[in-house]
Structures are given as C-alpha cells and as structure tokens.
Amino acid sequence: STSDSLTLLPMIHGCLETAVAVRERLRDIRPEVVAVELPATIQDAVVRACQRLPVLSVVTYNLSEDVPVYVLIEPCDGIIEAVRFALENAIPLAFVDRDTETYGAKIDPLPDPYSIQRIGYSTYVDACLEKIPASEDEDDRFREACMAFHLQRLVKEYRRVVLVCGLAHVKGVLREMEIPQAFPIQKTHREDVTIWNLSERSIREVLQEPGFISAAYE
C-alpha cells in the first residue's frame, strides 16, 4: 500500500518469506524513517536486543496485574528485520504501536507463506488483503488509530515513510489514516522492561521458524 510519502509493508510475524521481502523493499525504497508495529515503551530494549543478534533475546515486561509479556527477538521476523535495516543504515526509527494491557492472542487464517517463493510477495499480499476485512475489534481499532496518529505526524516531517506491520492491520491503519487522529490514551513509560538471553533448550520450542533456518538466514 503506497501513497506519495507513505508505504505500508505488510508482514507475517516470525515468517522468513516476509522478512526477506521487507528487507528487499526497504533497500529499494530507501526510506527516510522506518516505523514499526511495536510500542515506544519498549523501543530502547528492542533496539539493544536487535544489536545483540545473532544472540537470541527475549524482551519482557509485566502488565498492571503482574502478567508477563514476552517479545521474542528473532531473525526471521519482518519487524525485527526492519529495525536492523534502520540501525545498519542510520535511518531514524519510530515505534508507533499502542501500549495496550488487554490485547489477547489472535490467529489469522492465511495461506502458506511459502507460496511467496512461487507467486511473489506483492501477489500474495494483494490476494490476502482482498479477503481480510478491516477489524472491528476495539483493541485493534485503538492500536490502528495510534499507528495512524504517529504516521500522520511522520509524513509531515519526512518525504519517504515506511510502516512495517502485520498484514491483518493494513486495512485498519489505512482506514484510520483518513481521520485526523488525537494523541492516544495509553501508557507512555514502563520501568520493568528487561532483556533476557534465550536458553538453547528453549529455541526449538519458541522460534517461529526452525532453528536451522534462522541460523542459515543469519
């Protein structure tokens, strides 16, 4: 999805094929700023964890009721690839997602992303977006409005802005971009954000792609 100054790069979390596509398109676009679907409250920790790759890390923090949140920093992920690309090329980063306390796990039914190798990234994304409606879930709307708020500010400052986000959020972000957004109510700071080493015994259990593929990609 592209406008004169804004490009959306949809990805599937923890997916090698979309991580590769994100890196290739960032290299072609040469953005002036890279925005990603992560909240600013964990930006410093995520950046440090990305700088530690290929050492695998987990960024953790606790919700208000001491419920832990785990953010896996793995190579085969489009958002992590976008962060690394920005760091490697000295491009400003913007973490534009909303820090939310209530967002639960969701499963989006998508075709096998290996088909990207055969039909291409753009064809795959276009076919998925034809079938995926914009979410009406309240938490999705809040998150997408938050991303739109930050993007509306960024496009006034930069000529080439790229947002790397989950494929399921694309239509929602574009919908919210049509509306002038106010600063979203959210937590703006967290004290307990911690970076942990991922145990070798845990790798095969938690990585989205097999460890061999992640190592080969590195």
Side-chain angles (χ1 to χ4, degrees):
S1 302
T2 307
S3 68
D4 291 341
S5 57
L6 173 64
T7 300
L8 269 60
L9 293 182
M11 44 75 67
I12 301 170
H13 297 284
C15 168
L16 171 67
E17 287 81 8
T18 56
V20 171
V22 164
R23 185 172 188 87
E24 290 175 346
R25 277 150 183 79
L26 287 173
R27 187 179 59 222
D28 294 339
I29 297 168
R30 306 303 299 181
E32 294 182 358
V33 61
V34 174
V36 295
E37 180 203 323
L38 286 172
T41 49
I42 62 172
Q43 178 167 347
D44 290 344
V46 170
V47 166
R48 293 201 307 274
C50 287
Q51 291 170 332
R52 300 176 75 230
L53 286 167
V55 175
L56 300 179
S57 308
V58 179
V59 174
T60 70
Y61 59 94
N62 289 327
L63 301 180
S64 56
E65 298 180 356
D66 288 332
V67 176
V69 174
Y70 303 92
V71 181
L72 180 61
I73 308 301
E74 58 180 320
C76 298
D77 183 274
I79 289 177
I80 302 307
E81 193 57 86
V83 172
R84 291 208 287 181
F85 182 89
L87 295 174
E88 291 167 3
N89 293 277
I91 299 171
L93 267 169
F95 281 46
V96 298
D97 202 354
R98 182 175 186 263
D99 188 314
T100 180
E101 294 264 325
T102 59
Y103 201 80
K106 297 191 177 182
I107 298 177
D108 299 309
L110 296 170
D112 186 345
Y114 181 74
S115 59
I116 293 172
Q117 302 282 352
R118 299 294 184 91
I119 66 175
Y121 167 78
S122 297
T123 301
Y124 179 92
V125 167
D126 290 345
C128 290
L129 290 177
E130 284 183 11
K131 301 295 184 181
I132 299 176
S135 174
E136 297 301 329
D137 177 81
E138 184 179 63
D139 287 326
D140 281 326
R141 295 292 298 264
F142 281 141
R143 291 181 60 197
E144 289 154 4
C146 180
M147 287 187 259
F149 167 81
H150 291 293
L151 292 172
Q152 287 170 353
R153 299 181 65 187
L154 290 171
V155 296
K156 294 178 181 178
E157 185 177 353
Y158 299 96
R159 291 174 299 172
R160 293 188 304 280
V161 179
V162 170
L163 169 66
V164 180
C165 69
L167 202 157
H169 291 296
V170 169
K171 284 187 176 179
V173 170
L174 293 176
R175 173 185 58 195
E176 300 301 330
M177 285 292 292
E178 299 295 323
I179 309 167
Q181 299 291 339
F183 184 80
I185 297 174
Q186 63 174 317
K187 185 180 284 290
T188 58
H189 181 71
R190 288 193 178 274
E191 294 284 353
D192 59 343
V193 182
T194 307
I195 304 171
W196 303 87
N197 290 326
L198 184 63
S199 165
E200 290 184 10
R201 291 180 297 174
S202 301
I203 289 174
R204 70 175 60 195
E205 303 296 334
V206 301
L207 288 183
Q208 298 289 328
E209 296 283 6
F212 175 83
I213 291 178
S214 295
Y217 183 59
E218 282 296 288

